[in-house]
Amino acid sequence: MTISETETPFIALSGVSKSYQTGATSVPIFDNLDLSIQKGEFVAVMGPSGSGKSTLLNLLAGLDGPDSGDIRIADQRLDHMGEAARSAWRAHHLGIVFQFYNLLPMLTAEENIELPLLLKPIPAPVRRERVAKILDLVGLGGRGRQNPARMSGGQQQRVGIARAIVSDPALLLCDEPTGDLDRKSADEVLTMLGYLNRELGKTIVMVTHDPEAAEAAGRTLHLDKGVFVERLRVMA
Ligand code: ADP
Ligand code: MG
């Protein structure tokens, strides 16, 4: 590893500003936001509703662009890419896990997981082998033909995680991945994310309201009105 690789953060936001335009008024969300995340970190982002958590994930995913400032991920300027380049970048480097899974109900679990691979020139037998391996990894081996709609929430989220990692992306963005789950299923999902982080080296940024989910992460960022704040500790 070269010195510059060890020194450059995997994710670097610098001086990022972002407002939403509603009619004639501009509502500022971020003003000059800085953030560095190292490769292999598992970071939780907490904060009240409306504090900018989803906006941050959308910027990291290249689904939305900043008004000003730089967004660098793996040494690439996301904010300098055109739409086609950002789509290609997402397909290569990024997996996204959603609160409500976003699975396609007319497809089986394995067809859902296979979807991201269809964007790439991978032969069908290789795709199927990859999907079977990932199903095993998320503890759903043998259930690939099942329809996700007939699965429990925890199983559906594991299908969602399998789809997010089937292309072997370096970065996983998770928006409230346990928000719709009971405690036991939530813990299974967190154990899985911890495994992907520790054993497979995935960098994870997870938005959550769940303090136990944040415990699974190595670092927690608290976002309040678009600013990262120190955690306020209430003394008992
Ligand atoms: P969080 O995920 O922390 O709840 P968001 O990032 O979704 O917060 O939203 C931050 C603020 O920006 C909120 O006040 C929200 O109403 C506003 N907002 C989010 N998306 C848009 C949009 N597309 N247009 C206008 N305002 C938006
Ligand atoms: Mg949100």
Side-chain angles (χ1 to χ4, degrees), residues 213-230:
E215 295 277 312
R219 174 156 72 111
T220 300
L221 298 170
H222 297 268
L223 200 55
D224 192 12
K225 299 189 181 78
V227 176
F228 291 119
V229 295
E230 290 294 318

Side-chain angles (χ1 to χ4, degrees), residues 49-229:
S49 185
S51 56
K53 304 181 300 295
S54 295
T55 303
L56 178 66
L57 284 191
N58 287 338
L59 292 172
L60 293 178
L63 292 168
D64 200 353
D67 300 332
S68 57
D70 315 353
I71 299 182
R72 281 171 211 267
I73 301 182
D75 265 334
Q76 285 187 279
R77 278 290 292 266
L78 220 55
D79 53 300
H80 281 181
M81 292 179 198
E83 195 42 57
R86 278 194 290 179
S87 293
W89 178 86
R90 272 197 295 278
H92 250 92
H93 295 98
L94 188 67
I96 306 183
V97 177
F98 303 89
Q99 177 173 2
F100 299 108
Y101 330 124
N102 289 22
L103 302 171
L104 295 182
M106 68 293 274
L107 301 182
T108 64
E110 62 192 8
E111 287 166 343
N112 269 281
I113 297 167
E114 191 180 17
L115 277 179
L117 299 180
L118 297 176
L119 301 170
K120 300 179 175 192
I122 302 175
V126 178
R127 282 203 308 267
R128 281 195 288 272
E129 198 178 311
R130 190 95 72 86
V131 169
K133 222 167 119 190
I134 296 288
L135 269 167
D136 280 342
L137 183 77
V138 299
L140 292 174
R143 293 184 187 242
R145 300 277 161 86
Q146 229 172 299
N147 191 294
R150 290 161 185 261
M151 294 180 162
S152 70
Q155 289 171 334
Q156 290 187 57
Q157 192 56 297
R158 284 191 267 150
V159 174
I161 292 172
R163 179 187 52 190
I165 60 171
V166 73
S167 297
D168 199 23
L171 176 60
L172 272 185
L173 300 178
C174 310
D175 199 350
E176 293 279 0
T178 62
D180 195 44
L181 301 179
D182 59 68
R183 189 70 260 158
K184 181 169 174 286
S185 305
D187 288 341
E188 285 168 9
V189 161
L190 293 168
T191 301
M192 187 155 299
L193 293 176
Y195 174 86
L196 295 174
N197 172 246
R198 280 191 314 276
E199 306 300 326
L200 303 186
K202 304 294 178 200
T203 303
I204 302 180
V205 181
M206 170 178 72
V207 164
T208 186
H209 278 101
D210 175 3
E212 287 188 42
E215 295 277 312
R219 174 156 72 111
T220 300
L221 298 170
H222 297 268
L223 200 55
D224 192 12
K225 299 189 181 78
V227 176
F228 291 119
V229 295

